[in-house]
Structures are given as C-alpha cells and as structure tokens.
Amino acid sequence: MSQGLFNVASLALGRVLNRERIVWGLFGDYALSFLGRPGPPFVCIECLVLCRRTEIIQMFNDEMDFRLAQSNPDGYVEFCWSDNVNRIGELKIKVFCAISTVTAPRWPPIPVKFPMKTTSCSIEGFPPGNNRIRILSPIHLFKGRIRDVVVGNRPRDLLDIKFFVTRCGVDIKERAHEVNLTWVGLALRKHGWSRDEFKDVDINIELAEQLTENTNLLNIDASEAKDVIHSLLC
C-alpha cells in the first residue's frame, strides 16, 4: 500500500482521538518515516493511547471507515480502515491502550501517570489545520525498538538502533535514565555488538548485563501486548 493511503488513515485516526481528547502517539515503521528513516513498505499503523480498551472500542463504534477486527483483553485493539464503500484494500491499525486493569505475568501494572511525550508532525498535501499527526518522542521509539531487537529477528531493527543514536542521540541522552535496562541487557545478550551504541547515549550497560545474566531469552513471549506498552513507557 502507498504511503498516501497510510497518511489518510493516520489523519482519520487522529481526528477521532483528538475529538475525544485522548493523548496518543504513533510508533513503529510508519512513525519512524517522519524522522527521516527510509524503510520497507509499511504493514500497519501502530498507535499508543492513554485510555482503556473499552473506551477505544466505544469511540470508534460509529466511525464508518473503521471496522473492529480484533480486541485483546491485554490492552490491544485492531481496526481495519478503509474509505472505500466496498472496503477494498483495508489498512490495519493497531491501537495499544496503556490504561488497563490487566497485569502481564512479568510486569507490574502500568501507572496511569507517566512521562509520555509526543511530537506533532505535518503531512504534505493536506490543508493546514487538518494535516497533523502525533508520533511518540524519540526516547519512546528507541525503547520500543530495543524490545523489537530482543523478540524479533528483523535486521532492520538492529539498524534502527544505530539510526536513533545517530539522529536522536542528544534527545535520548537527556532521558537515558528512562530506558529499561532489562530490555537493554537482553538486547546485549542477543546482539553484543550494540554495546557501543548504548554507551554513546549514556546507558549503563554493565548494570543492564548484570540484571539479565540469568534470564533465558527463550522465555520472552513476543505476542504479549502488555510487553509492547511496557517497553515504550517504562
């Protein structure tokens, strides 16, 4: 699918969330394109919101272009979007809800209040005032990519760590204390060459390695939506 279609869908998503006064930000491959990172064709739009899963389902219930495709009690909602009457070429949108009463096995409940920051980005070709989306700040995107390195096998994720350090190193250094050292330690266990990148943004890799020296990488479940949310924010 073309980026133009993704742009239309992300603006439609943002209009609903802004109308309902929801704090939100995009992440993943599509969001990274707004930081200047070239990449493969996008698969879906990924969005983090500060509200509950049931609230998201309700607010999109009457939106004709959005069709509920999947709802996970762990805080994950998937919609299919299309502005075509016949719904040809539907685009997938994944919404991760940070406020939840469900606790993942390895993580404590995510608090309602935490320092989630976003950046406003404009999309060319749309009228001013109706052409802005929000993406998560570089520190959140960086933390999310560290998790992707641990649970996935995409070479692109490894390159993104280098991209963040080169492009957003100053911003990440300022909030390096927010990086979850458990995920860093696991990333180092899997790909030791990333030590220099983490050092460049003042992350304590020695402590990260100590925290995870007895952790079995095979026990990490990539399917848990709660892990996605936790890696972005905690």
Side-chain angles (χ1 to χ4, degrees), residues 7-200:
N7 291 342
V8 175
S10 64
L11 289 171
L13 174 70
R15 280 194 291 271
V16 177
L17 296 174
N18 290 336
R19 182 192 68 206
E20 300 295 331
R21 301 182 182 277
I22 300 299
V23 178
W24 65 283
L26 304 181
F27 65 97
D29 289 335
Y30 175 68
L32 283 177
S33 69
F34 289 91
L35 295 179
R37 190 271 268 162
F42 311 127
V43 176
C44 66
I45 292 174
E46 296 169 292
C47 181
L48 181 69
V49 297
L50 297 191
C51 69
R52 291 176 173 80
R53 178 178 57 91
T54 52
E55 294 170 330
I56 282 292
I57 294 173
Q58 183 177 3
M59 70 181 63
F60 281 92
N61 188 50
D62 295 326
E63 298 295 326
M64 297 294 293
D65 293 344
F66 292 84
R67 177 178 63 84
L68 179 64
Q70 180 181 352
S71 177
N72 187 310
D74 199 25
Y76 166 89
V77 182
E78 180 179 311
F79 295 101
C80 289
W81 175 91
S82 175
D83 59 358
N84 188 300
V85 175
N86 297 322
R87 305 202 66 84
I88 297 175
E90 287 186 321
L91 187 152
K92 186 182 300 183
I93 298 177
K94 297 179 179 180
V95 180
F96 292 83
C97 304
I99 301 177
S100 174
T101 57
V102 180
T103 303
R106 293 188 304 280
W107 305 116
I110 296 176
V112 174
K113 294 183 180 180
F114 40 76
M116 172 179 167
K117 293 186 178 181
T118 62
T119 301
S120 177
C121 300
S122 62
I123 298 179
E124 296 181 0
F126 294 87
N130 295 301
N131 67 337
R132 306 198 72 82
I133 61 169
R134 304 204 68 84
I135 66 172
L136 295 180
S137 67
I139 186 64
H140 299 306
L141 298 176
F142 179 64
K143 292 194 293 183
R145 260 319 180 242
I146 294 172
R147 172 199 175 272
D148 292 338
V149 167
V150 173
V151 303
N153 293 293
R154 297 194 316 173
R156 166 62 60 182
D157 295 334
L158 293 170
L159 294 176
D160 283 343
I161 298 297
K162 290 180 175 290
F163 170 82
F164 277 115
V165 171
T166 302
R167 181 64 64 90
C168 311
V170 174
D171 293 333
I172 293 173
K173 273 187 178 182
E174 292 178 352
R175 300 178 66 182
H177 61 281
E178 298 180 26
V179 174
N180 189 306
L181 294 182
T182 297
W183 284 116
V184 172
L186 293 173
L188 290 170
R189 290 273 306 281
K190 191 171 182 180
H191 301 284
W193 62 262
S194 58
R195 291 174 61 90
D196 290 341
E197 280 70 32
F198 290 129
K199 277 186 175 181
D200 287 343

